[in-house]
Amino acid sequence: MNTQNNLQKPFLYFDNAATTPLCPEVLEAMMPYLTSQYGNPSAVYRFARAARKGIEEAREQVAAAISAQPGEIFFTASGTEANNWALRGVSDAWRHKGGHIITTAIEHHAIDHVCKGLAKQGVEVTYLPVDKEGFVSPEDLKASIRPDTILISIMWANNEIGTIQPIADLSAVAREKGILFHTDAVQAVGHIPVSVQDLPVDMLTMSAHKFGGPKGVGALYIRKGTKIDSFLYGGAQEKKRRAGTENVAGIIGMGAAIALAVGQQEAEHKRITKMRDTLIKRIEYAIPKVDLNGPRGENRLPGNINFSFDYIEGESLLLLLDMHGCCASSGSACSSASLEPSHVLMALGVPHEKAHGSIRFSLGKESTYEDIESLMEILPKHVRQLRAMSPLTEDDEIL
Ligand code: PLP
């Protein structure tokens, strides 16, 4: 990693689950479409054909990455939009059948808040509980299905605690009962193997900026034949299912980024998992009274580390780390401005005080062992410093 400490680049970047740096190869692929190739992809003249061709190649790259057909990929302006589309589009298309959706207590707000909005419109939502490591049980899912259930939406991997769900088993339950299955795979795609070929997944959400692509572009995979309403109305883009002039450069960047990420996935998965486990061990060895949130081992995202530090406020620790140019996150990036403890940690049964003292360190392509060394030079020191100031600290021996 670049260790220059200036305003452009952080010294220590441990927030890859919030977003990843744009890969230089991706920027290169995007550049012509930000400069000379400015034609509107819907236009009929030759000049615009490069943009159309670029979009269709990107669609093929995204489809190949998850073993889908290109015609099943629909570009959106974010993972958030793709999630909104899946939930609202199915809810609108199936209103005649019923209005019951099943999801989980640990979804990203881009699912959770949409469900709350739908509930105000009369849709009933069941939030499945999770165990203390964040896993949803297929038996609980089976038991929650009703005759009027129209959709099951369960995330592939959790953004805060890294839990990878048993998606094969969960989607099999949905298929057996003939219910549509959507998964928010924003944290999974590009990091762990994701294929819709062998799994009965009907819709799947992706977001480019989580795997080295640009921000503001995502995609929804919709299995051929799935009944779902269009999301945005207007022009005929995306087969009239998502109107609006395409973010050409963004889409081309998403295609380039996903191809690159999937190509490097196996090696990166190994490298980053090893680094993750090293950092977990180092923190547990150097700092007393810490709890790892989420599972250990292969059912945890390779780059995810989430610890609760007793007797401290996560936000205070983040500010101290920031003084060293170190970027990490407390709770999910989107809710870090809120004083509420993370709904994900609450769902695991983590007590309030521990949830408030939790920090996520997320590793990525540019992370190195030197980063871990540098973090371990500052982290234990600042945890001790905050504990020394805290009226909650009960035990002098940990200072
Ligand atoms: N879903 C999950 C699991 C996420 O982690 C995020 C982003 O943090 C999103 C959805 C939203 O994606 P986007 O930032 O593209 O709107």
Side-chain angles (χ1 to χ4, degrees):
M1 171 166 178
N2 184 326
T3 52
Q4 230 181 336
N5 192 5
N6 58 31
L7 284 176
Q8 275 76 46
K9 271 206 160 189
F11 172 53
L12 286 170
Y13 190 70
F14 284 103
D15 209 12
N16 287 278
T19 198
T20 55
L22 188 73
C23 298
E25 301 91 321
V26 173
L27 179 62
E28 201 180 312
M30 292 169 69
M31 274 317 268
Y33 302 91
L34 291 166
T35 51
S36 56
Q37 295 295 340
Y38 54 81
N40 187 320
S42 298
V44 292
Y45 40 79
R46 265 181 303 155
F47 173 56
R49 277 184 217 149
R52 167 59 45 211
K53 189 162 170 275
I55 289 177
E56 296 317 320
E57 280 169 10
R59 204 183 303 282
E60 283 170 21
Q61 288 169 310
V62 173
I66 60 163
S67 309
Q69 296 302 316
E72 297 174 313
I73 303 297
F74 296 85
F75 290 110
T76 63
S78 59
T80 299
E81 185 189 310
N83 280 346
N84 271 260
W85 184 2
L87 296 180
R88 291 187 177 276
V90 168
S91 168
D92 289 347
W94 290 83
R95 204 38 85 78
H96 62 280
K97 185 185 172 225
H100 178 236
I101 291 178
I102 301 171
T103 186
T104 81
I106 60 164
E107 299 294 312
H108 188 272
H109 285 154
I111 291 287
D112 185 41
H113 288 180
V114 185
C115 286
K116 299 226 160 76
L118 287 171
K120 283 194 191 140
Q121 294 164 11
V123 173
E124 284 188 61
V125 183
T126 297
Y127 295 91
L128 295 173
V130 292
D131 68 15
K132 62 185 192 336
E133 293 183 332
F135 293 107
V136 177
S137 122
E139 283 68 40
D140 285 350
L141 173 60
K142 212 178 254 178
S144 71
I145 290 172
R146 310 189 327 200
D148 60 345
T149 305
I150 53 173
L151 176 67
I152 296 166
S153 179
I154 299 180
M155 70 199 319
W156 196 299
N158 185 271
N159 46 304
E160 292 188 39
I161 53 170
T163 309
I164 300 171
Q165 296 298 340
I167 287 294
D169 298 343
L170 295 166
S171 57
V173 171
R175 177 58 59 93
E176 192 191 309
K177 301 278 179 182
I179 298 165
L180 291 180
F181 188 88
H182 165 255
T183 182
D184 174 351
V186 162
Q187 293 288 339
V189 170
H191 302 283
I192 57 174
V194 170
S195 162
V196 293
Q197 197 170 43
D198 313 320
L199 295 184
V201 166
D202 302 296
M203 287 157 284
L204 180 145
T205 293
M206 296 164 260
S207 175
H209 73 105
K210 306 291 187 180
F211 48 75
K215 293 165 184 64
V217 56
L220 182 64
Y221 154 79
I222 306 177
R223 186 181 291 280
K224 192 162 178 262
T226 302
K227 192 169 154 199
I228 175 170
D229 276 6
S230 299
F231 189 60
L232 292 178
Y233 294 85
Q237 293 90 353
E238 299 299 279
K239 296 197 207 134
K240 294 195 183 158
R241 298 181 92 174
R242 195 276 183 189
T245 301
E246 299 89 338
N247 172 3
V248 180
I251 288 171
I252 285 158
M254 182 168 189
I258 208 165
L260 208 61
V262 170
Q264 298 170 343
Q265 191 169 279
E266 210 180 318
E268 279 296 272
H269 187 289
K270 264 195 207 130
R271 187 184 75 88
I272 295 174
T273 301
K274 255 186 163 172
M275 223 181 326
R276 173 198 74 188
D277 292 341
T278 302
L279 182 52
I280 290 176
K281 267 199 215 128
R282 294 284 304 268
I283 291 177
E284 288 178 328
Y285 182 75
I287 308 175
K289 298 259 185 186
V290 295
D291 294 295
L292 181 72
N293 297 310
R296 290 176 197 265
E298 60 179 24
N299 290 326
R300 182 182 197 108
L301 282 173
N304 177 286
I305 294 154
N306 184 316
F307 271 108
S308 288
F309 297 88
D310 278 12
Y311 314 128
I312 68 156
E313 197 53 60
E315 296 291 319
S316 311
L317 182 54
L318 281 188
L319 293 176
L320 290 174
L321 294 176
D322 186 35
M323 286 178 6
H324 301 270
C326 174
C327 310
S329 126
S330 67
S332 85
C334 312
S335 67
S336 58
S338 126
L339 289 177
E340 287 296 303
S342 140
H343 67 286
V344 174
L345 297 181
M346 291 290 96
L348 302 187
V350 174
H352 264 240
E353 323 79 75
K354 282 187 192 269
H356 274 297
S358 79
I359 301 269
R360 177 186 71 190
F361 298 98
S362 46
L363 308 174
K365 202 169 164 179
E366 298 195 356
S367 304
T368 63
Y369 282 93
E370 287 83 66
D371 292 349
I372 291 180
E373 287 308 320
S374 305
L375 177 65
M376 292 313 293
E377 275 168 30
I378 54 177
L379 183 66
K381 187 175 79 185
H382 286 311
V383 170
R384 265 199 309 278
Q385 180 187 357
L386 288 171
R387 285 176 172 173
M389 291 190 297
S390 169
L392 299 172
T393 305
E394 288 160 348
D395 185 355
D396 279 354
E397 281 178 25
I398 66 167
L399 296 176

